Amino acid sequence: MAVLVGGLVLVPIARSIITSTTERHGQDTVFVGLDNYLALVGDDQFHTGVVNSFVFTAYAEVFKVVLGLAAALLLHHRRRGRAVLAGLLLVPWVVPTVVTAFSWRALLDPIFGSVNTLLTATGIGPLLASAHLVDSWPAGWLSDPSLAMPSVILVNVWKGVPFFTVCFLAGLKAIPADLYEAATIDGASSWQRFANVTLPGLRHVITVTVTLSSIWTFNNFDLVWLLTQGGPGDVTAPYVLVAYSKAILQLQYGAGAAVTLVMLPIIGGLVFVLVRLLRQDSSIKLPRKRRAARWIGTRQWAGTARKALPWAVTALVTGLLFWASPHIFWKAAVVLGLILLIAAGVGRVVSTLQSRGGRRSSSVVSGLGSWAALAGLLFFVLGPLYWIAVTAFKSEGQVVMRTDDLWPTPWTLEQFGALFDNQPFGRWYLNTLLVSAASTAVALVCAALAGYALARLRFRGAQGFTVTVLLTYVMPGALLFIPLYQMLIGARLTDSLWSLVVTYPTFTLPFATWLLVGYFSSIPVELEEAALVDGCTRIQAFGRVVLPLAKPGLLAVALFTLTNAWNEFLFAFVFITKDEYKTLPVGMQSMIAGDVVPQGQLAAASLLVSIPVVIMYALGQRFLTEGLTAGAVKG
C-alpha cells in the first residue's frame, strides 16, 4: 500500500513540482525557475478559469445544501415508502457522468430540447424572459454566454443532490427524538425546532459533506467538458480545463503543472478542514488545575470565534460571488428566495392552523405540501432519466421528427442495432469491464491488508500514514494527470489498458483503505484475541475471523471502487486516443462529431452503461445493511 501510494500519488506530485519549473523548447526541456508561475499573473485564461471554478463550486454547494436538506427532511418524516423514494433519488448519483452530460445536453438543446418545449407549453418560458431571468426565448441554455454557467451549475446540482440527501438523512436519524419532544413541550414552533435542534444536530454532517463535495466540485473536469468543453468562449472553463489545454493540447507540461499547483493551497486548506473535522471525535485531554482558568477562557474565546466564523465565511463568499458573477448572483437569489418563500409560507400556514387547534386541517396541508414537494423533486431527478429510457427505444424517424416524445410508438430496438453496427461499442464495454475488474481486485486485496494493519497493528508512523491515506484520497486527479501522463509516456504505456489499470489505484486504493480502516476498527478485538488464544496465527485470525465479518465492508469497497472505475473519464480521456482501447465514457464522448449528435444511439448507450451500475447498487443495498458484526458478538 505504501509503495503504491508513494509511487502513484506522492512521486507524481513531487514530479509535478519539478515539471512546473521547466519549459519545452522544441525537443528540449529547459529549466526556467518560477517563470511559469509568474506568467500566470498576467494570464487572462488562467484568471477566468479560477473565477469560473469558484463560481461553479459556490453556487452548486449552496443549492445542493438547500435541496439536499429539503429532500432529507421530506424523507425523514415519511413513514411509508421511504426506502423506495431514497433509492429513486440516489439514481442520478449512481449513473455515469457521461450519461448525465448527454441527457442534459439533449434536454437543453435550444431547438430540439424538451426543456424549452415544456416551458413554452406551460407559459413559464415567456414569463422567465419577461422577468429578465433569460435574455430571450427560446433560450440557448448551453450556447448563451449568460446562461451557460447557470446551466452547468444546474446539472451539477442534479448530480450532487442525492449525495447530500443520503448524508443528511443519516444525520437526521442520529438526532435524539427526545430533543424534539422537549422542544415541542416548551412550545417551540416548527421553525424554532428546525433552527435550534435540527441545524445544530446536523452541523458536523453539513460541514463535512460540503467540504468533501467542494473538493470534488472545484476540481471537476468531466462534466464541464462533456457539456460545453468550456464554452461558449471561456465562460464555463474551470482551471482544470486550462491546465489540460496547456499541458496536453499545447504540450507545455510546465505551464499546465503550474496551473494545478497554484491551486494546491486552496485544496490543501479544504483538506485540512476535512481532516480536522473527521478527527474531531478524538478524546480531549483535561487541563491541570493551575491552568484551568486560562483553559476555560481560551475555550470560551474559541467558542465565540467558532460561532462567528461561519457568518464571516458566508459574508466573504457572498461578496466574492457578487463581485465575480453579478449576472448570476441576482438570478440565483431570486430562485433561492422563491424556494425558501414557498417553504416558509407552507410552514406558516401549518403553524397557524395548529395554534388554532385545527390539527386535522394542519396535517392535511402539511401532507399536501410534502407530497407536492416530493413530486417536484422526483420530476426534477427522474425526468432526464425517463427521457433517456424512452429515446433509446425510438426509431430514427421519431428522434429526428420529434414525434411521440413521451412514449415511443412503436417501441423498437433500432438504436441498439445501429449502436453496435456503427460503433465499436462492444469493445468499449469489454475494455471498461476489464479495467474496472482489475482495479477493483487490486483495491480489495491491498486495502484489506493495509486497512487491517492500520486498524489493529501498532507500529511507528501508523497514525501519520492513516492521515496520508485520507489526503491522497481527496487529492484531485487534476494534480496527477500531467505527471502520470509523462510517466506513462516514459514507460510506453499510453494507448493501452495497462495505463488505466496502473493509474486507477490513485483514487480507488486510498478510499478503499480509509473505509476499511473504520470498518475493521468496529469489529470487536476480543474475537481475534480468542482465535489467537486458540492457537491461530495473526494471518489465520484475519482470514478466518475478520474477513467473514467484514463482508459488508468489503462489498461496499467493491461497489464504490467498481463504480468509480466504471465512470472515470479524465484519465481515460487523456491517456487513451485509439478507439480499440477506449472505455465507455470516452467512447461515448467520441460519438459526437461537431454538431452531429446521434441522440438515439447515445440514449441506447447510456441505458446499457447505467443498467449494470444501478443493478449493482440495488443488489448491494441488502448486504450493506446486514448486521453481521452484531450477530457475531451476540453469538
Side-chain angles (χ1 to χ4, degrees):
M1 173 68 183
V3 171
L4 288 174
V5 169
L8 294 175
V9 179
L10 302 181
V11 169
I13 290 177
R15 179 165 181 168
S16 182
I17 295 173
I18 297 173
T19 301
S20 68
T21 62
T22 64
E23 188 174 288
R24 186 169 179 175
H25 292 168
Q27 297 296 325
D28 300 324
T29 300
V30 180
F31 176 78
V32 294
L34 299 178
D35 287 358
N36 288 321
Y37 295 94
L38 296 175
L40 296 178
V41 176
D43 191 334
D44 292 336
Q45 186 185 23
F46 171 71
H47 298 164
T48 302
V50 173
V51 172
N52 288 341
S53 293
F54 168 73
V55 170
F56 176 59
T57 302
Y59 285 115
E61 296 310 307
V62 169
F63 280 96
K64 279 188 276 191
V65 168
V66 172
L67 295 179
L69 184 56
L73 290 170
L74 290 172
L75 292 177
H76 182 64
H77 294 101
R78 184 69 48 196
R79 294 182 179 179
R80 296 180 180 179
R82 181 165 59 186
V84 175
L85 292 172
L88 291 175
L89 291 177
L90 192 62
V91 173
W93 188 57
V94 172
V95 298
T97 304
V98 66
V99 175
T100 300
F102 158 69
S103 59
W104 278 100
R105 273 188 62 167
L107 289 170
L108 295 174
D109 187 277
I111 299 175
F112 301 105
S114 298
V115 170
N116 277 354
T117 302
L118 179 64
L119 294 180
T120 301
T122 56
I124 298 176
L127 183 63
L128 294 176
S130 61
H132 302 290
L133 290 173
V134 296
D135 294 335
S136 60
W137 194 259
W141 299 100
L142 296 175
S143 57
D144 187 336
S146 64
L147 292 177
M149 180 60 82
S151 301
V152 173
I153 293 170
L154 170 70
V155 179
N156 183 264
V157 170
W158 181 84
K159 182 79 172 172
V161 162
F163 174 72
F164 278 70
T165 302
V166 171
C167 294
F168 293 164
L169 190 60
L172 288 171
K173 292 179 180 178
I175 300 176
D178 54 356
L179 294 179
Y180 290 102
E181 295 174 0
T184 303
I185 292 173
D186 290 341
S189 63
S190 300
W191 166 252
Q192 289 173 326
R193 291 195 298 271
F194 173 75
N196 296 291
V197 179
T198 303
L199 283 182
L202 289 177
R203 182 177 58 187
H204 184 74
V205 176
I206 291 175
T207 308
V208 171
T209 306
V210 169
T211 304
L212 191 56
S213 178
S214 297
I215 295 171
W216 294 339
T217 307
F218 191 77
N219 296 284
N220 189 284
F221 172 85
D222 47 359
L223 185 64
V224 176
W225 177 266
L226 291 167
L227 281 171
T228 64
Q229 295 188 4
D234 289 328
V235 295
T236 60
Y239 89 95
V240 183
L241 198 147
V242 176
Y244 167 80
S245 175
K246 291 180 179 295
I248 308 301
L249 299 183
Q250 302 173 22
L251 296 179
Q252 291 295 339
Y253 301 123
V259 171
T260 60
L261 290 171
V262 164
M263 293 294 101
L264 189 57
I266 297 176
I267 301 167
L270 293 173
V271 171
F272 175 77
V273 171
L274 182 63
V275 172
R276 288 290 301 272
L277 290 169
L278 293 176
R279 299 177 63 186
Q280 201 174 53
D281 296 331
S282 59
S283 59
I284 301 175
K285 295 182 179 179
L286 295 176
R288 296 179 180 178
K289 288 184 179 180
R290 61 184 180 182
R291 297 180 181 175
R294 185 187 304 173
W295 182 80
I296 292 172
T298 304
R299 295 288 293 176
Q300 290 176 344
W301 181 87
T304 304
R306 192 180 296 112
K307 291 180 180 179
L309 182 61
W311 295 105
V313 172
T314 301
L316 177 63
V317 171
T318 303
L320 289 175
L321 282 176
F322 181 77
W323 167 78
S325 56
H327 63 290
I328 301 178
F329 185 87
W330 74 271
K331 296 177 183 178
V334 169
V335 174
L336 191 61
L338 187 62
I339 294 173
L340 297 177
L341 185 63
I342 294 174
V346 174
R348 183 65 177 175
V349 171
V350 172
S351 298
T352 303
L353 291 174
Q354 286 179 344
S355 64
R356 294 179 179 178
R359 293 184 178 180
R360 189 170 183 177
S361 56
S362 66
S363 63
V364 170
V365 172
S366 177
L368 290 176
S370 298
W371 277 113
L374 273 175
L377 191 62
L378 287 173
F379 177 78
F380 172 66
V381 167
L382 300 179
L385 303 176
Y386 174 79
W387 183 87
I388 288 175
V390 297
T391 304
F393 293 97
K394 293 179 182 179
S395 65
E396 190 63 26
Q398 293 179 58
V399 173
V400 174
M401 301 302 296
R402 298 191 69 247
T403 57
D404 304 309
D405 252 0
L406 299 179
W407 193 260
T409 306
W411 289 67
T412 176
L413 298 177
E414 175 185 331
Q415 301 299 340
F416 294 91
L419 176 66
F420 284 92
D421 291 339
N422 301 334
Q423 308 289 343
F425 187 77
R427 185 64 195 177
W428 298 340
Y429 218 98
L430 181 61
N431 291 341
T432 307
L433 282 173
L434 293 174
V435 172
S436 301
S439 57
T440 301
V442 171
L444 275 177
V445 173
C446 296
L449 295 171
Y452 179 76
L454 293 172
R456 287 287 189 261
L457 307 183
R458 295 293 174 261
F459 55 93
R460 183 174 298 177
Q463 185 66 28
F465 188 75
T466 304
V467 175
T468 303
V469 168
L470 176 60
L471 293 176
T472 54
Y473 164 56
V474 295
M475 280 297 174
L479 288 174
L480 301 175
F481 78 92
I482 296 175
L484 286 175
Y485 182 66
Q486 292 179 287
M487 292 170 62
L488 291 173
I489 289 178
R492 298 183 179 180
L493 286 178
T494 53
D495 279 327
S496 72
L497 295 183
W498 283 109
S499 64
L500 304 182
V501 174
V502 168
T503 55
Y504 277 9
T506 57
F507 58 87
T508 59
L509 194 52
F511 168 76
T513 304
W514 182 43
L515 190 148
L516 287 179
V517 167
Y519 200 90
F520 287 141
S521 298
S522 68
I523 297 176
V525 70
E526 292 81 8
L527 298 175
E528 297 165 67
E529 292 175 349
L532 294 173
V533 170
D534 289 340
C536 286
T537 64
R538 174 68 72 173
I539 295 295
Q540 289 173 329
F542 173 69
R544 296 179 182 180
V545 178
V546 178
L547 284 184
L549 296 176
K551 284 181 181 178
L554 295 172
L555 179 64
V557 166
L559 197 61
F560 282 115
T561 54
L562 191 63
T563 304
N564 287 336
W566 188 272
N567 298 342
E568 201 282 325
F569 178 80
L570 177 59
F571 286 0
F573 180 64
V574 173
F575 302 156
I576 303 294
T577 58
K578 296 181 179 178
D579 275 346
E580 60 265 31
Y581 298 119
K582 288 180 179 177
T583 56
L584 285 170
V586 181
M588 289 176 62
Q589 188 268 341
S590 67
M591 291 170 61
I592 302 174
D595 295 331
V596 180
V597 182
Q599 291 190 6
Q601 294 180 38
L602 281 171
S606 299
L607 205 60
L608 293 176
V609 170
S610 302
I611 286 176
V613 181
V614 174
I615 290 176
M616 284 189 295
Y617 271 87
L619 296 177
Q621 289 299 319
R622 179 170 64 90
F623 298 100
L624 291 174
T625 55
E626 288 182 0
L628 296 180
T629 303
V633 173
K634 211 177 277 186

